[in-house]
Amino acid sequence: MRVRKLDVGLEGISRWQIDDEQHLPREGGLTQKFLPRLAELDRILKRPSLDERLPNMLEPEFVDADLLDPSVLTDARLGALAVFEDARAQSTGSERAALDQVTNILTEEVALDRDIRTALAALFKG
């Protein structure tokens, strides 16, 4: 099979025939084409600004849909409260003060959950 030269001038291209473009062998398979992975390219080329990165750093990547169930959310708060109370018992100084604030906030949240459940139960009773 004869392969044509690649360095042809404009007049040579205008004289090409349709059959001239079929220069690949007919037998055997062709290799896979290079297809760039767009997500990886976008991650490199379209870097997020600081305003976009800060909220992304604060939001969790995965949020469990079961947390929308009030009883599951209360159980999660109680579990977090137990972890922070254990950490508070072992800490001192400014770390203990920060953990005191966290446990106070979680205790208030659990109390508000209990109050809401009580109010909803009274409302449904009529």
Side-chain angles (χ1 to χ4, degrees):
M1 180 172 125
R2 191 172 77 83
V3 179
R4 289 182 162 255
K5 294 189 317 181
L6 294 177
D7 58 342
V8 293
L10 290 176
E11 71 279 353
I13 292 175
S14 63
R15 294 185 195 142
W16 275 14
Q17 303 296 320
I18 293 175
D19 294 335
D20 292 340
E21 288 297 320
Q22 298 179 6
H23 56 276
L24 296 175
R26 294 183 188 270
E27 60 276 346
L30 300 175
T31 60
Q32 288 183 334
K33 296 178 182 176
F34 171 74
L35 296 175
R37 288 176 268 190
L38 296 178
E40 293 175 7
L41 280 177
D42 284 343
R43 197 173 333 127
I44 294 169
L45 298 176
K46 298 178 182 175
R47 307 271 311 173
S49 67
L50 182 62
D51 291 338
E52 295 168 346
R53 281 189 288 164
L54 286 176
N56 291 339
M57 293 171 75
L58 295 174
E59 295 175 2
E61 291 181 18
F62 174 73
V63 177
D64 190 4
D66 291 338
L67 284 176
L68 297 176
D69 184 18
S71 62
V72 174
L73 183 59
T74 301
D75 292 341
R77 284 182 178 144
L78 288 171
L81 180 60
V83 169
F84 283 117
E85 284 177 341
D86 290 343
R88 183 183 64 170
Q90 299 171 0
S91 64
T92 58
S94 63
E95 186 177 317
R96 184 177 180 95
L99 289 172
D100 281 338
Q101 290 179 349
V102 171
T103 54
N104 289 338
I105 290 170
L106 284 173
T107 303
E108 290 175 13
E109 291 289 326
V110 170
L112 288 173
D113 283 345
R114 186 182 62 244
D115 293 344
I116 289 173
R117 282 191 197 166
T118 305
L120 284 174
L123 182 64
F124 287 136
K125 283 183 182 177

